[in-house]
């Protein structure tokens, strides 16, 4: 059972690393969300401007409309990236939490020896003898 504390320590370290990677994924997702908002705002501005010049300047209208469509395409790809980054962040956070809990449980089981210690105590007594609370008190 010498491997239990090592496995617990490995799980703790792996949990911390996964949690750190989850934080990194969430920070990247917030940057992507800001970029997504910028693309959407710019596309909205371009569409408003295109509608304003629709009757007077048809060439400029087409150019603005194409630029707005291009910005909307950027926003769509940013939305997909944002979604995958959030999903990855939650998966890594869950894996980090599970690793931490697993490591703590293994270390606690090894520290307090819940299972094997009790079995050894009862097996080491000769049959028919009671365990005294104060063995030298007689």
């Amino acid at each position: 059972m010498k491997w239990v504390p090592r496995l617990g320590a490995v799980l703790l370290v792996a949990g911390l690393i996964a949690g750190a990677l989850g934080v990194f994924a969430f920070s990247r997702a917030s940057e992507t969300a800001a970029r997504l908002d910028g693309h959407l705002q710019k596309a909205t501005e371009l569409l408003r401007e295109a509608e304003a010049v629709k009757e007077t300047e048809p060439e400029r209208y087409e150019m603005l409309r194409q630029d707005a469509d291009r910005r909307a395409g950027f926003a769509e790809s940013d939305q997909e990236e944002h979604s995958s980054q959030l999903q990855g962040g939650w998966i890594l956070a869950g894996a980090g939490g599970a690793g931490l809990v697993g490591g703590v449980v293994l270390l606690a089981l090894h520290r307090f020896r819940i299972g094997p210690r009790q079995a050894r105590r009862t097996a080491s007594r000769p049959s028919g003898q009671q365990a005294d609370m104060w063995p030298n008190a007689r």
Side-chain angles (χ1 to χ4, degrees):
M1 296 292 271
K2 292 180 181 180
W3 55 271
V4 173
R6 289 183 185 141
L7 180 61
V10 166
L11 281 174
L12 281 173
V13 170
L16 289 173
I17 290 171
L21 289 174
V23 168
F24 178 72
F26 282 130
S27 72
R28 294 287 297 160
S30 68
E31 292 171 8
T32 303
R35 192 172 61 232
L36 169 68
D37 289 341
H39 286 309
L40 289 175
Q41 287 175 356
K42 185 64 176 173
T44 304
E45 290 172 13
L46 289 171
L47 285 174
R48 282 189 199 133
E49 188 178 341
E51 289 299 321
V53 297
K54 184 177 184 178
E55 299 295 327
T56 58
E57 301 175 51
E59 295 168 359
R60 182 168 161 83
Y61 169 77
E62 255 333 289
M63 183 184 72
L64 289 171
R65 186 82 177 173
Q66 289 174 357
D67 197 22
D69 288 344
R70 186 172 56 92
R71 292 284 184 159
F74 291 157
E76 186 178 344
S77 67
D78 282 347
Q79 178 63 40
E80 292 171 5
E81 183 179 347
H82 180 258
S83 175
S84 66
Q85 287 171 341
L86 280 179
Q87 183 180 10
W90 283 114
I91 289 171
L92 286 169
L100 288 173
V101 168
V104 166
V105 166
L106 282 177
L107 289 174
L109 285 175
H110 180 71
R111 171 74 175 106
F112 297 112
R113 298 178 193 218
I114 292 172
R117 182 189 224 179
Q118 293 169 351
R120 276 186 284 169
R121 258 193 221 157
T122 57
S124 66
R125 288 190 203 112
S127 63
Q129 287 187 352
Q130 292 281 340
D132 289 335
M133 193 177 241
W134 297 282
N136 296 330
R138 291 181 190 195

